[in-house]
Amino acid sequence: MKAWNIPLLPIFVCLFLCCLFFALSCGDDDDDNNDVADDDSAIDDDDTVSPDDDSNAHPSFCEVDEEFINDLMARMSLKRKIAQMYMVGVQVLPWFDYGDAQRFVEEIGVGCVGVTPGTGVGFWPEWTVTNTNKLQAWALAGDPGIPLFIAADQEGGVPAAVNNLTGGTDQPGNMGLGATFDPEATYDSYRIMGEQLFALGINNPYSPVVEIAAQYTDVPMYMRAFGEDTQLVAEHAAQAVRAFQDQLVVATAKHFPGQGQGHGDTHAGMVVNNDSEELIREKYLPPFQAAIDAGVDMIMTIHEIYTNLDPGVPATFSEKIITEILRGEMGYEGLIISDDINMGAIMAEPLDEHPDVTAIAAGVDLVLDAGGDAAPGFGIDPANLQWAWKVADQIDTVIEAIDGGRLTEERIDESVRRILRTKMKYCFFEIGQRDSAAASASLQTRRQIEDSERLFEKSITLLKNDDSILPLDPEAGLKIHVLSAGRLQSEMYPDAFWGNVSSTSLFWEIKNLYHEATGDHFDVDPNQRVINRLVRRTESVDPDVLIIGSFNGYYYEGQTELINALLDLGIPTVMAAMASPYDIIGFDDVKAYLAVYSNRPLPLKVAADIIFGTRTPKGRLPVTISEDYDMGYGLTKDISLFGRQETAIKPPINHRIVDMSSSFHD
């Protein structure tokens, strides 16, 4: 799903806060950077480490009291019940009038809210806890008082609402975890995220993505999937669900039934999938079944048409897909939530009736309206909308559908009971407010940081090392020049609607280890003037080794031209792909190539350690890039983690492992 749709004023405020944060934490960001960068990972900063790294015990699931639920249902008006079925994006900025947020929660009585960095997830833990406590207090002040699902996009890579900028600990994300070929690594990563989310009062992370990485030309899910092999993805999906559950966090498996080979992005418009029913059932449904078998309590649908399942009907509106297949055939009894109803796949399409009504009739329990009462995003002109797009009006529309016989109150009651049961199961009524001091001590603990660093070491994948150029010898007096994509990227994946912000860069992390390194930064799609300047500077430095940190370089004409111009200089080049591992398709002339899968501080620190030989890359490709770089390929010598050996996950493919014992230090 997309980042929450918010008005412009908070956006500008958040951008100002980000800039202030960077200025305080990161120092000078001039193109001519020759100063040593600050270490943003806080690994060696004892002030950020909890004194008790193992104080993490949570109670098991709470008992579901049906009599209590019956009492709550009897006290709720029809409008209040329908309001429980809405997940609404809110803003909780303390220096603004709370306005819509308080009205949605306390007066209208929505059952779920979504928060995003800057307008809900603050830039330090105490800020976030203040916000989540305030939201829960408003909810409990209603009649009757019912605690909230508080959601945030927390997939681990990007998006990750709780990250190094907001007090969290960077994680590899699904593709990085898939590269470990160890589902237990996924458990460890999601456990860390679960600990931090629970401490902050965020109980619904909208993850894991359990889709299959289909092909690099269809990019909306490419870095958000564990890989291309169904069995492997299913194993990782189950462990992600279990890890969140163990922290009393409600996992959400998404996006059912899987994007597959559908071309396009549902954020911008409708996607049509022509995969055969056999392929969908054999390849795309098993990870969802694994999540169900692991006990997942929420599944998100996708706004995509499957011509061989239910022709002409998006999955979110399909009774066959939701009720017959997901509930009937797959035995799922938990909550079903729609993807954002504001997405272009819904808003840009002519509809016969209100989308909320159609979704509920098909079997959806929760309608996701990330924008709330804000103007809809994705470039859709509100004047062209067919339906009212205000939360109170949407609820009234559902009531009208009941009065007209399209829906029944019994159907509403089914969903509300599921919502209340889930809230009771995860102890929402018992746990109550979070303690801000305890939350601060539960984030960025030394154990979380060290475990995450090991996860990154296990995920980062070395695909090339011609002439054993790696590791570089820091004592050899080499002239090293680094050109890296900067920390502020406008997109998460090509043509995405989400930004990607890091508090460091590969150049700075290299310079931390090798002070003599020189370098520059570039935007994801640099223009010709910037390309010419960067090439001239590189020529003037005349380095012994050039290090390039690409960011989806294969997909952008400007970045492709820049990297090729640099390679034409004939300098031995090491390339670190900080997003898509597919960049090597366009730049096979590099001497060494690392797939890092992320541009966050911890993975870039680990990547720098690998380049200088103090760590070993242990990952293997979770996707096939080419005949030379197939799934399972990696130059590595050891595949252990935290003292555990690689589990016997053997997808039906030859996993090629090349021993590089002589090339790397332990």
Side-chain angles (χ1 to χ4, degrees):
M1 58 166 292
K2 73 177 181 74
W4 304 101
N5 180 25
I6 56 177
L8 292 177
L9 179 59
I11 290 178
F12 294 140
V13 171
C14 293
L15 288 174
F16 169 79
L17 286 171
C18 285
C19 293
L20 178 62
F21 180 90
F22 292 143
L24 294 174
S25 65
C26 300
D28 182 17
D29 188 22
D30 187 84
D31 267 349
D32 297 315
N33 280 297
N34 284 310
D35 295 326
V36 178
D38 293 333
D39 181 2
D40 296 288
S41 63
I43 290 175
D44 296 316
D45 184 356
D46 290 336
D47 292 337
T48 66
V49 177
S50 168
D52 181 7
D53 282 353
D54 295 314
S55 56
N56 179 44
H58 297 317
S60 58
F61 289 138
C62 290
E63 181 180 354
V64 176
D65 185 341
E66 294 292 346
E67 186 174 336
F68 180 71
I69 289 175
N70 289 337
D71 179 64
L72 283 177
M73 296 282 290
R75 295 168 56 195
M76 296 168 71
S77 66
L78 176 59
K79 181 172 290 191
R80 203 76 173 184
K81 285 192 257 187
I82 296 170
Q84 278 290 305
M85 298 172 64
Y86 276 82
M87 168 72 77
V88 178
V90 297
Q91 302 167 45
V92 203
L93 288 168
W95 49 85
F96 288 103
D97 180 0
Y98 292 118
D100 283 347
Q102 187 167 6
R103 179 172 59 86
F104 290 150
V105 175
E106 189 171 2
E107 297 178 21
I108 296 177
V110 298
C112 329
V113 296
V115 294
T116 193
T119 63
V121 180
F123 293 113
W124 48 86
E126 294 85 355
W127 179 351
T128 303
V129 170
T130 297
N131 288 350
T132 57
N133 282 344
K134 188 178 295 291
L135 288 164
Q136 293 291 12
W138 290 336
L140 293 173
D143 184 21
I146 300 172
L148 292 165
F149 285 112
I150 298 181
D153 272 316
Q154 185 70 19
E155 296 179 12
V158 178
V162 180
N163 56 56
N164 74 295
L165 292 174
T166 53
T169 306
D170 301 321
Q171 297 302 311
N174 284 359
M175 186 161 284
L177 291 169
T180 70
F181 281 80
D182 180 6
E184 288 296 321
T186 291
Y187 181 92
D188 290 329
S189 179
Y190 277 74
R191 167 186 53 80
I192 293 169
M193 289 193 290
E195 290 170 358
Q196 298 184 347
L197 291 166
F198 180 91
L200 294 171
I202 298 171
N203 50 42
N204 186 201
Y206 280 171
S207 63
V209 172
V210 301
E211 301 193 53
I212 307 297
Q215 50 195 355
Y216 67 86
T217 54
D218 289 325
V219 295
M221 299 299 165
Y222 81 121
M223 289 295 292
R224 303 164 67 192
F226 289 109
E228 68 182 31
D229 183 82
T230 297
Q231 178 186 345
L232 186 67
V233 173
E235 292 278 353
H236 284 278
Q239 290 298 335
V241 169
R242 293 184 181 114
F244 274 154
Q245 288 176 331
D246 287 348
Q247 304 304 319
L248 288 181
V249 170
V250 184
T252 304
K254 63 184 187 183
H255 307 76
F256 188 82
Q259 176 152 327
Q261 302 286 338
H263 296 280
D265 187 346
T266 54
H267 295 86
M270 185 59 68
V271 175
V272 177
N273 187 305
N274 294 315
D275 289 340
S276 69
E277 181 173 353
E278 180 182 20
L279 179 64
I280 294 169
R281 290 181 178 276
E282 291 184 357
K283 187 169 185 177
Y284 302 115
L285 294 190
F288 288 97
Q289 188 66 63
I292 292 168
D293 294 343
V296 72
D297 284 294
M298 191 177 290
I299 290 178
M300 182 181 288
T301 65
I302 189 171
H303 308 320
E304 185 166 329
I305 293 173
Y306 297 81
T307 57
N308 290 302
L309 289 181
D310 195 357
V313 182
T316 300
F317 299 157
S318 172
E319 185 174 357
K320 178 178 180 180
I321 292 173
I322 293 176
T323 300
E324 294 182 22
I325 296 177
L326 180 54
R327 291 214 185 276
E329 296 181 28
M330 300 177 71
Y332 179 60
E333 297 179 351
L335 290 168
I336 298 173
I337 183 170
S338 75
D339 206 341
D340 186 4
I341 213 72
N342 290 290
M343 292 167 70
I346 300 299
M347 294 198 301
E349 297 292 320
L351 302 172
D352 293 333
E353 67 178 354
H354 197 288
D356 301 16
V357 173
T358 311
I360 293 170
V364 166
D365 300 301
L366 289 164
V367 175
L368 173 56
D369 181 358
D373 284 355
F378 307 111
I380 305 297
D381 184 353
N384 294 333
L385 290 179
Q386 185 177 359
W387 308 103
W389 228 264
K390 301 285 187 181
V391 174
D393 294 336
Q394 290 169 260
I395 292 171
D396 287 341
T397 298
V398 176
I399 292 175
E400 291 171 4
I402 294 171
D403 292 340
R406 175 69 169 103
L407 298 173
T408 66
E409 188 166 356
E410 289 74 22
R411 167 68 193 87
I412 301 300
D413 287 349
E414 288 176 9
S415 290
V416 176
R417 287 186 184 278
R418 289 191 189 104
I419 292 166
L420 296 176
R421 285 174 184 143
T422 305
K423 291 180 177 182
M424 291 196 73
K425 177 180 178 179
Y426 285 83
C427 308
F428 288 12
F429 290 88
E430 286 81 1
I431 293 174
Q433 301 273 293
R434 300 298 197 266
D435 179 82
S436 60
S440 183
S442 298
L443 274 70
Q444 284 285 62
T445 68
R446 184 171 296 280
R447 174 182 56 79
Q448 290 169 347
I449 293 169
E450 291 176 350
D451 285 359
S452 297
E453 284 186 317
R454 285 191 285 268
L455 287 168
F456 282 113
E457 184 175 2
K458 188 172 172 66
S459 69
I460 293 175
T461 307
L462 181 64
L463 298 187
K464 286 190 70 176
N465 194 24
D466 292 352
D467 302 328
S468 297
I469 186 174
L470 294 180
L472 301 180
D473 183 355
E475 304 299 325
L478 297 170
K479 283 197 294 184
I480 297 175
H481 191 65
V482 185
L483 285 172
S484 173
R487 56 197 173 151
L488 295 169
Q489 300 300 339
S490 61
E491 298 179 334
M492 165 189 150
Y493 53 78
D495 300 321
F497 290 88
W498 313 333
N500 181 14
V501 180
S502 175
S503 62
T504 189
S505 74
L506 182 62
F507 170 45
W508 288 343
E509 294 303 325
I510 293 292
K511 200 166 179 61
N512 276 337
L513 297 180
Y514 194 74
H515 301 336
E516 294 80 9
T518 58
D520 292 290
H521 294 110
F522 57 83
D523 185 56
V524 66
D525 198 11
N527 61 37
Q528 191 62 54
R529 180 182 61 81
V530 172
I531 292 170
N532 294 339
R533 173 171 55 83
L534 294 177
V535 172
R536 286 196 304 269
R537 284 194 184 184
T538 303
E539 286 183 297
S540 68
V541 172
D542 190 23
D544 300 306
V545 177
L546 175 63
I547 299 174
I548 300 174
S550 68
F551 190 90
N552 295 329
Y554 175 70
Y555 297 91
Y556 291 102
E557 182 177 351
Q559 196 174 158
T560 296
E561 183 175 348
L562 168 63
I563 295 173
N564 280 327
L566 292 168
L567 292 176
D568 287 344
L569 298 177
I571 302 166
T573 301
V574 176
M575 188 169 177
M578 301 185 297
S580 165
Y582 298 105
D583 279 358
I584 198 169
I585 294 174
F587 315 109
D588 200 38
D589 289 338
V590 297
K591 285 283 188 180
Y593 182 92
L594 282 168
V596 183
Y597 307 106
S598 174
N599 72 333
R600 299 289 191 187
L602 277 188
L604 295 185
K605 177 183 183 299
V606 173
D609 290 342
I610 288 171
I611 287 170
F612 287 101
T614 58
R615 293 180 187 267
T616 303
K618 301 175 182 178
R620 293 178 282 151
L621 280 176
V623 293
T624 296
I625 292 179
S626 67
E627 290 184 1
D628 293 328
Y629 307 113
D630 56 356
M631 176 183 164
Y633 179 87
L635 304 180
T636 184
K637 65 170 185 172
D638 177 53
I639 49 175
S640 62
L641 178 66
F642 309 163
R644 294 193 302 270
Q645 292 300 314
E646 173 84 358
T647 54
I649 301 300
K650 299 295 182 184
I653 199 162
N654 178 26
H655 295 159
R656 297 197 286 135
I657 307 170
V658 181
D659 193 335
M660 296 295 292
S661 299
S662 61
S663 299
F664 281 87
H665 311 299
D666 285 322

